Amino acid sequence: GQNIDQPTEMTATEGAIVQINCTYQTSGFNGLFWYQQHAGEAPTFLSYNVLDGLEEKGRFSSFLSRSKGYSYLLLKELQMKDSASYLCAVRANSGNTPLVFGKGTRLSVIA
Amino acid sequence: NAGVMQNPRHLVRRRGQEARLRCSPMKGHSHVYWYRQLPEEGLKFMVYLQKENIIDESGMPKERFSAEFPKEGPSILRIQQVVRGDSAAYFCASSPGPRDNSPLHFGNGTRLTVT
Protein backbone atom coordinates (compact mmCIF):
# COMPACT_ATOMS: atom_id res chain seq x y z
CA GLY A 1 0.00 0.00 0.00
CA GLN A 2 0.91 3.65 -0.22
CA ASN A 3 0.82 5.98 2.79
CA ILE A 4 1.78 9.64 2.88
CA ASP A 5 1.38 11.65 6.10
CA GLN A 6 1.40 15.40 6.60
CA PRO A 7 0.08 17.62 9.41
CA THR A 8 -3.45 18.77 8.69
CA GLU A 9 -3.03 22.42 9.60
CA MET A 10 -0.31 24.89 10.53
CA THR A 11 -0.27 28.58 11.40
CA ALA A 12 2.70 30.91 11.06
CA THR A 13 3.38 34.62 11.22
CA GLU A 14 4.12 36.88 8.29
CA GLY A 15 7.88 37.21 7.76
CA ALA A 16 8.66 34.01 9.68
CA ILE A 17 9.92 30.60 8.51
CA VAL A 18 7.75 27.49 8.50
CA GLN A 19 8.64 23.84 7.90
CA ILE A 20 6.00 21.42 6.62
CA ASN A 21 6.90 17.77 7.13
CA CYS A 22 5.94 14.76 5.07
CA THR A 23 6.60 11.08 5.76
CA TYR A 24 5.90 8.34 3.27
CA GLN A 25 5.74 4.56 3.03
CA THR A 26 5.35 3.47 -0.56
CA SER A 27 5.97 0.30 -2.54
CA GLY A 28 8.73 2.05 -4.49
CA PHE A 29 10.28 5.48 -4.82
CA ASN A 30 11.06 7.50 -7.92
CA GLY A 31 10.80 11.04 -6.67
CA LEU A 32 8.90 13.32 -4.29
CA PHE A 33 6.98 16.41 -5.36
CA TRP A 34 5.56 19.39 -3.48
CA TYR A 35 2.58 21.33 -4.77
CA GLN A 36 0.79 24.48 -3.59
CA GLN A 37 -2.99 24.71 -3.86
CA HIS A 38 -5.01 27.82 -3.12
CA ALA A 39 -8.66 27.25 -2.26
CA GLY A 40 -10.71 26.55 -5.37
CA GLU A 41 -7.69 26.54 -7.66
CA ALA A 42 -5.38 24.09 -9.41
CA PRO A 43 -2.41 22.58 -7.57
CA THR A 44 0.79 24.18 -8.85
CA PHE A 45 4.18 22.46 -8.88
CA LEU A 46 6.76 23.77 -6.40
CA SER A 47 9.65 21.31 -6.18
CA TYR A 48 11.03 17.87 -6.97
CA ASN A 49 13.50 15.75 -4.97
CA VAL A 50 14.87 12.35 -5.90
CA LEU A 51 18.30 12.44 -4.24
CA ASP A 52 18.94 13.04 -0.54
CA GLY A 53 19.55 16.64 0.40
CA LEU A 54 18.18 20.12 0.06
CA GLU A 55 16.89 21.76 -3.11
CA GLU A 56 16.57 25.53 -2.87
CA LYS A 57 14.37 27.64 -5.09
CA GLY A 58 13.97 31.23 -3.94
CA ARG A 59 11.97 31.46 -0.72
CA PHE A 60 11.05 27.76 -0.95
CA SER A 61 13.36 24.81 -0.22
CA SER A 62 12.64 21.11 -0.10
CA PHE A 63 14.59 18.39 1.69
CA LEU A 64 14.60 14.63 1.23
CA SER A 65 15.92 11.71 3.25
CA ARG A 66 15.19 8.48 1.39
CA SER A 67 16.45 6.24 4.21
CA LYS A 68 13.97 7.85 6.61
CA GLY A 69 11.10 8.19 4.15
CA TYR A 70 10.95 11.86 5.07
CA SER A 71 10.75 15.21 3.34
CA TYR A 72 10.04 18.76 4.36
CA LEU A 73 9.13 21.97 2.60
CA LEU A 74 10.66 25.11 4.06
CA LEU A 75 9.06 28.47 3.37
CA LYS A 76 11.04 31.57 4.31
CA GLU A 77 9.97 35.21 4.67
CA LEU A 78 6.34 34.20 4.77
CA GLN A 79 3.83 36.37 2.97
CA MET A 80 0.06 36.47 3.34
CA LYS A 81 -0.28 35.05 -0.17
CA ASP A 82 1.49 31.87 1.02
CA SER A 83 -1.71 30.91 2.85
CA ALA A 84 -2.67 27.76 0.95
CA SER A 85 -2.61 23.97 1.14
CA TYR A 86 0.72 22.28 0.52
CA LEU A 87 0.57 18.81 -0.97
CA CYS A 88 3.29 16.18 -0.73
CA ALA A 89 3.26 13.54 -3.49
CA VAL A 90 5.39 10.51 -4.33
CA ARG A 91 5.99 8.80 -7.65
CA ALA A 92 6.21 5.19 -6.51
CA ASN A 93 7.05 3.61 -9.86
CA SER A 94 9.45 4.56 -12.63
CA GLY A 95 8.48 6.38 -15.77
CA ASN A 96 5.58 8.76 -16.17
CA THR A 97 3.40 7.02 -13.61
CA PRO A 98 0.74 8.72 -11.46
CA LEU A 99 1.66 10.57 -8.29
CA VAL A 100 0.29 9.46 -4.91
CA PHE A 101 -0.74 12.47 -2.83
CA GLY A 102 -0.96 13.10 0.88
CA LYS A 103 -4.02 14.92 2.25
CA GLY A 104 -2.21 18.23 2.28
CA THR A 105 -1.28 20.73 4.98
CA ARG A 106 -3.39 23.87 5.22
CA LEU A 107 -1.09 26.77 6.11
CA SER A 108 -2.51 30.00 7.49
CA VAL A 109 -0.20 33.02 7.53
CA ILE A 110 -1.25 35.66 10.05
CA ALA A 111 -0.10 39.23 10.53
CA ASN B 1 -3.57 30.05 -22.50
CA ALA B 2 -1.19 27.12 -22.91
CA GLY B 3 -2.17 25.43 -19.64
CA VAL B 4 -4.40 22.44 -18.96
CA MET B 5 -7.97 23.40 -19.80
CA GLN B 6 -10.93 21.80 -18.09
CA ASN B 7 -14.59 22.45 -18.68
CA PRO B 8 -17.04 23.05 -17.36
CA ARG B 9 -15.74 24.68 -14.14
CA HIS B 10 -18.99 23.88 -12.36
CA LEU B 11 -21.49 21.17 -13.21
CA VAL B 12 -24.78 20.44 -11.48
CA ARG B 13 -26.56 17.17 -12.14
CA ARG B 14 -29.58 15.45 -10.61
CA ARG B 15 -29.23 11.92 -9.33
CA GLY B 16 -29.37 9.46 -12.19
CA GLN B 17 -28.13 11.85 -14.87
CA GLU B 18 -24.83 11.61 -16.71
CA ALA B 19 -21.85 13.90 -16.16
CA ARG B 20 -19.22 14.54 -18.82
CA LEU B 21 -16.02 16.29 -17.83
CA ARG B 22 -13.55 17.47 -20.46
CA CYS B 23 -9.83 18.04 -20.32
CA SER B 24 -7.44 19.41 -22.93
CA PRO B 25 -3.81 18.80 -21.93
CA MET B 26 -0.99 21.30 -22.29
CA LYS B 27 0.37 21.63 -25.79
CA GLY B 28 2.86 18.86 -26.45
CA HIS B 29 1.66 16.67 -23.58
CA SER B 30 0.33 13.24 -24.45
CA HIS B 31 -0.22 11.87 -20.94
CA VAL B 32 -3.40 12.68 -19.02
CA TYR B 33 -4.36 11.86 -15.44
CA TRP B 34 -7.68 12.28 -13.65
CA TYR B 35 -7.89 12.84 -9.89
CA ARG B 36 -10.82 13.36 -7.53
CA GLN B 37 -10.68 15.63 -4.50
CA LEU B 38 -13.18 15.73 -1.66
CA PRO B 39 -13.21 18.52 0.98
CA GLU B 40 -10.45 17.95 3.56
CA GLU B 41 -9.17 15.01 1.50
CA GLY B 42 -6.15 14.64 -0.73
CA LEU B 43 -6.14 14.15 -4.46
CA LYS B 44 -7.13 10.56 -5.22
CA PHE B 45 -5.84 9.05 -8.45
CA MET B 46 -8.50 7.69 -10.77
CA VAL B 47 -7.09 6.96 -14.23
CA TYR B 48 -4.02 7.52 -16.41
CA LEU B 49 -4.31 7.69 -20.19
CA GLN B 50 -2.16 8.25 -23.22
CA LYS B 51 -3.60 8.96 -26.64
CA GLU B 52 -6.18 6.23 -27.39
CA ASN B 53 -4.93 4.03 -24.52
CA ILE B 54 -5.84 3.55 -20.88
CA ILE B 55 -2.59 2.86 -19.06
CA ASP B 56 -3.79 2.56 -15.45
CA GLU B 57 -7.40 2.69 -14.25
CA SER B 58 -6.79 1.17 -10.84
CA GLY B 59 -8.30 4.16 -9.01
CA MET B 60 -11.49 4.37 -11.01
CA PRO B 61 -14.69 2.65 -9.80
CA LYS B 62 -15.53 -0.30 -12.02
CA GLU B 63 -19.14 0.75 -12.49
CA ARG B 64 -20.59 3.97 -13.89
CA PHE B 65 -17.18 5.59 -14.51
CA SER B 66 -15.29 5.59 -17.80
CA ALA B 67 -12.54 7.65 -19.40
CA GLU B 68 -11.17 8.14 -22.87
CA PHE B 69 -8.49 10.15 -24.60
CA PRO B 70 -9.16 9.95 -28.34
CA LYS B 71 -6.65 10.62 -31.08
CA GLU B 72 -8.36 13.95 -31.74
CA GLY B 73 -10.03 16.09 -29.10
CA PRO B 74 -10.00 16.32 -25.32
CA SER B 75 -9.94 13.59 -22.71
CA ILE B 76 -13.40 12.83 -21.32
CA LEU B 77 -14.30 11.51 -17.87
CA ARG B 78 -17.83 10.18 -17.94
CA ILE B 79 -19.94 9.37 -14.92
CA GLN B 80 -23.22 7.63 -15.60
CA GLN B 81 -26.22 7.60 -13.26
CA VAL B 82 -24.60 10.01 -10.83
CA VAL B 83 -25.21 9.69 -7.09
CA ARG B 84 -24.72 12.24 -4.30
CA GLY B 85 -21.41 10.62 -3.36
CA ASP B 86 -19.99 11.60 -6.75
CA SER B 87 -20.06 15.27 -5.72
CA ALA B 88 -16.42 16.36 -5.68
CA ALA B 89 -13.82 18.37 -7.54
CA TYR B 90 -12.35 16.46 -10.46
CA PHE B 91 -8.90 17.53 -11.57
CA CYS B 92 -7.15 16.67 -14.78
CA ALA B 93 -3.37 16.83 -15.12
CA SER B 94 -1.00 16.32 -18.03
CA SER B 95 2.67 15.66 -18.51
CA PRO B 96 5.09 15.17 -21.41
CA GLY B 97 7.00 11.95 -22.16
CA PRO B 98 7.94 9.25 -19.65
CA ARG B 99 10.50 10.78 -17.27
CA ASP B 100 10.63 10.23 -13.52
CA ASN B 101 11.07 13.96 -12.85
CA SER B 102 8.10 15.07 -14.95
CA PRO B 103 5.69 16.96 -12.69
CA LEU B 104 2.00 16.85 -13.40
CA HIS B 105 0.45 20.12 -14.58
CA PHE B 106 -3.09 20.53 -13.30
CA GLY B 107 -6.17 22.21 -14.69
CA ASN B 108 -8.52 24.30 -12.53
CA GLY B 109 -10.85 21.38 -12.02
CA THR B 110 -14.55 20.70 -12.52
CA ARG B 111 -16.71 20.95 -9.43
CA LEU B 112 -19.52 18.45 -9.74
CA THR B 113 -22.57 18.83 -7.54
CA VAL B 114 -25.20 16.11 -7.55
CA THR B 115 -28.58 17.18 -6.23
Side-chain angles (χ1 to χ4, degrees):
Chain A
Q2 324 282 29
N3 193 44
I4 299 177
D5 286 316
Q6 309 177 232
T8 305
E9 292 187 53
M10 296 183 73
T11 302
T13 306
E14 194 176 15
I17 298 173
V18 70
Q19 177 175 312
I20 302 174
N21 296 325
C22 170
T23 57
Y24 63 90
Q25 295 113 29
T26 53
S27 55
F29 181 83
N30 281 279
L32 188 143
F33 297 77
W34 283 96
Y35 282 79
Q36 180 191 62
Q37 185 180 24
H38 285 98
E41 296 184 13
T44 55
F45 169 69
L46 289 177
S47 68
Y48 168 76
N49 294 72
V50 68
L51 300 176
D52 287 357
L54 190 69
E55 294 281 343
E56 297 188 76
K57 201 187 275 189
R59 292 190 300 117
F60 292 7
S61 304
S62 56
F63 172 83
L64 175 67
S65 168
R66 292 186 59 169
S67 62
K68 294 180 179 170
Y70 167 69
S71 173
Y72 66 72
L73 180 69
L74 195 70
L75 290 74
K76 302 175 190 173
E77 300 168 17
L78 279 172
Q79 302 174 10
M80 301 298 282
K81 68 177 182 179
D82 296 330
S83 294
S85 288
Y86 291 86
L87 314 179
C88 174
V90 170
R91 176 162 277 144
N93 299 309
S94 63
N96 217 11
T97 52
L99 302 183
V100 179
F101 282 84
K103 291 187 177 182
T105 299
R106 188 162 58 243
L107 173 67
S108 299
V109 179
I110 58 175
Chain B
N1 187 343
V4 177
M5 301 301 293
Q6 288 189 251
N7 67 82
R9 285 296 303 270
H10 300 275
L11 182 62
V12 179
R13 285 286 179 266
R14 290 201 204 95
R15 277 181 299 167
Q17 291 186 318
E18 178 180 286
R20 276 184 185 241
L21 288 63
R22 293 174 186 77
C23 169
S24 295
M26 283 181 72
K27 190 174 180 181
H29 288 190
S30 58
H31 300 249
V32 165
Y33 309 77
W34 286 93
Y35 285 80
R36 176 162 64 179
Q37 188 175 42
L38 292 166
E40 311 305 323
E41 293 287 327
L43 288 160
K44 299 291 188 190
F45 166 72
M46 298 182 73
V47 61
Y48 164 34
L49 310 102
Q50 292 179 32
K51 283 287 187 182
E52 300 184 276
N53 287 307
I54 295 175
I55 307 302
D56 181 352
E57 55 183 348
S58 59
M60 196 158 66
K62 296 276 188 284
E63 297 180 358
R64 302 189 299 108
F65 286 73
S66 62
E68 62 177 16
F69 189 16
K71 189 176 179 183
E72 302 290 339
S75 176
I76 306 284
L77 179 68
R78 185 179 173 210
I79 311 172
Q80 295 177 289
Q81 297 166 11
V82 296
V83 300
R84 288 225 170 96
D86 296 333
S87 295
Y90 292 84
F91 286 93
C92 169
S94 72
S95 70
R99 297 197 307 271
D100 286 349
N101 63 349
S102 292
L104 305 187
H105 298 266
F106 284 86
N108 282 323
T110 293
R111 276 138 194 92
L112 172 66
T113 302
V114 179
T115 61

